[in-house]
Amino acid sequence: MTDPPDTRDIGPRPGSPLWTYLAGVIIVGLTALVVAQVRLGPDQLAHVARLPLLWMLGALVVLGELRPVVMSASTLVGGTPASVMFSFAVLLHYGLSVAVLAQAVAVVVSGLVHRRAWHRVTFNVAHVTLACTAGAVVLGAFGVLPHPSGPWVPDNGDDVVAIALAALAYFVVRGLLVCGAVALHERRTLPRVIKVTVGPQSLAYAAMLGLAPVVVVVMTYTPVLVPLFVAPLAAMYLTANVSARRDHQAMHDELTGLPNRKHLIVAIEEALAELRPDQRLGLLLLDLDGFKEVNDTLGHPVGDRLLQIIGHRLTHSVRPGDVVARLGGDEFAVLLPSIRDAQAAKEVAARLRAALTEPVRLEGMTFDLDASVGIALHPDHAPDFQLLLQRADVAMYLAKEARTGVEFYVSDKDRNSPERLSLQGDLRRAVDRGELELHYQPKVVLADGAVDGVEALLRWWHPVRGPVSPAEFIPLAEQSYLMRELTQYVIGAAMEQAAKWWHEGMKVPISVNVSARDLLDNGLAEQIEAGLARLRLPAGTLQLEVTERVLMTDQAYAADTIRALAGLGVPLALDDFGTGYSSLVRLQRLPVSEVKIDASFVRRLTESPDDERIVRSTIDLVRSLGLRSVAEGVESAEIAERLRDLNCDVGQGWWLGEPMAAAEATAWLRERLRAVPPVAPVEAPAGAMGGAV
């Protein structure tokens, strides 16, 4: 697990509230430290240096400062230094001057070892000094004034009250000073930070401060036993660290150390709860462009290292308090708990993209990356975190499709609505309840009427709404994470049906449409390979259809995935040809076996000379590349006859055969495969719905 560098080491901007706060605490704290040492005097300092017990305690203070007890994985809580027990014991026994000196030395050593920034080290020295001073003031109020030349040892019940109040003052001052710095750094409210930290921290401080008087007694009578106090500290340290590590793993990405989706959701809920009426909350979703090429070319280890570098860059490109999370794969999210306006969010997005576009050098190679960023704001675009996540995702895909880099959520471009959001939930349940089914539309050889195959088309019969058009629910799935589940269902069901037909002697291939998001799924080829092996089917049983738009907008991603599928022997078809902007070079490079001419041209074939020229040219082009041509939208005998004259290979449309349920399609195929008649219309069962998904 790799943790991103601590942003607390980044110096605050001069003149900012955090800078002013740190400067004030540092000045007051260091002044108190200097005064304490002046009061000690050189003679007493020399006396202290000759005390072996104090050297032993100093070593324990340093050791405790190096290894804090982590009670929570939250960055707001942090760790509780184990040095508290020994430094408070020194305060009780030898007085303020010696205690703050030992603690200051320990903090400086810890800062050097952990390479902390100077402002953190000096602030830690200052706030610990002030906490010790508060404890000493309370002790003085009870007449307890320990000194190196006159150590104090508690010897009656009244001393318990003085010690308890001194410990409380120490804890309160130290906690408030640290919480104030954290609140300003993370841009959280002080009450919120106190609420999050007081529970875990109070337990640890109570245990260690409570043992300090015992340490004093042991120091006085059997000092040789003092090191034994390391044992309970070690037990506390190990137990707390195991728990914190478990919490960290549950809330953070293992590869980058960044917060994961679960952490992000919690952070959004907390930020929404704290948001003031005059503030906005921003959520940015980033999807890397070009990352898959690196992963596929150089392997996952290099890709993983690249993701770690990206996580580091993103963390250092946002403000303290902003949350950078990795959602999985090459998707990241950035939460802006408070943002001035949309322009400020856009500036953050521009800064993130600028950081990512700087060349990365790995394995002796230089990589240029970019990202598509979607932005959604609360309350402008969404009232709660669920809608915020969804609409940031919609905006990100808008940016990816338009190749604009950054896009805000725009309701006019979102095909979702309250009704459609409800429909999306129904669709998720429909997958589990088996409300979806496949219909099969025949593909017929125009020359002799032979069956060339069928195309699987997804249909949904809603228990309340009735039939739902694929044009309505497929875009919903594509804008959510349901698309993968739908594709897995369709491919699985299509292969199961193909197995029934093939094992009955009806060797009819089935075509299935896949989307751009499907082609980014590395598990697609694995699912198909496993299914073919399990059902004992040849690779030619299944054909995948990809749209021309995938070729254009996701070329770098899709081409490699398509080649991997083609490597299995699965035939590939280019769907809706003519609606995009494919070039001959790209078409020639893709391992496709057929090209489907879009129905919008075929339907007007006998009416529009322009459409006829387009169809004729496409058929000639496809034939010259050694591919088969398939015409969609064959809805009349005249169109079928004209396509046959143009030497189009295969036709598909209502005139040749409407989409049919599995049972009707099975009966149709049995009859059709027994005797192949001339091309003629075939009646489908009443109620069948047409149109491709």
Side-chain angles (χ1 to χ4, degrees), residues 619-678:
I619 293 172
D620 293 341
L621 167 64
V622 169
R623 186 185 302 109
S624 68
L625 294 174
L627 307 176
R628 294 194 319 152
S629 56
V630 179
E632 298 179 292
V634 181
E635 298 178 358
S636 68
E638 293 80 10
I639 292 176
E641 183 66 29
R642 187 68 187 124
L643 287 169
R644 190 162 41 240
D645 294 340
L646 296 175
N647 293 318
C648 182
D649 298 307
V650 178
Q652 179 181 348
W654 285 23
W655 188 78
L656 297 172
E658 293 186 2
M660 296 170 276
E664 288 79 11
T666 301
W668 185 90
L669 287 172
R670 285 191 184 125
E671 180 180 353
R672 191 76 173 188
L673 293 175
R674 277 198 297 268
V676 181

Side-chain angles (χ1 to χ4, degrees), residues 563-634:
R563 291 191 189 97
L565 292 168
L568 296 176
V570 176
L572 302 169
L574 190 62
D575 198 11
D576 299 336
F577 188 78
T579 60
Y581 305 93
S582 298
S583 68
L584 291 178
V585 174
R586 288 174 181 158
L587 183 58
Q588 195 171 22
R589 288 176 180 173
L590 280 176
V592 298
S593 59
E594 70 179 38
V595 173
K596 301 186 75 173
I597 306 170
D598 189 68
S600 61
F601 302 112
V602 176
R603 290 193 185 102
R604 299 190 299 267
L605 179 62
T606 58
E607 303 171 3
S608 169
D610 291 337
D611 286 329
E612 181 182 2
R613 281 191 292 270
I614 291 174
V615 173
R616 181 196 300 273
S617 300
T618 302
I619 293 172
D620 293 341
L621 167 64
V622 169
R623 186 185 302 109
S624 68
L625 294 174
L627 307 176
R628 294 194 319 152
S629 56
V630 179
E632 298 179 292
V634 181

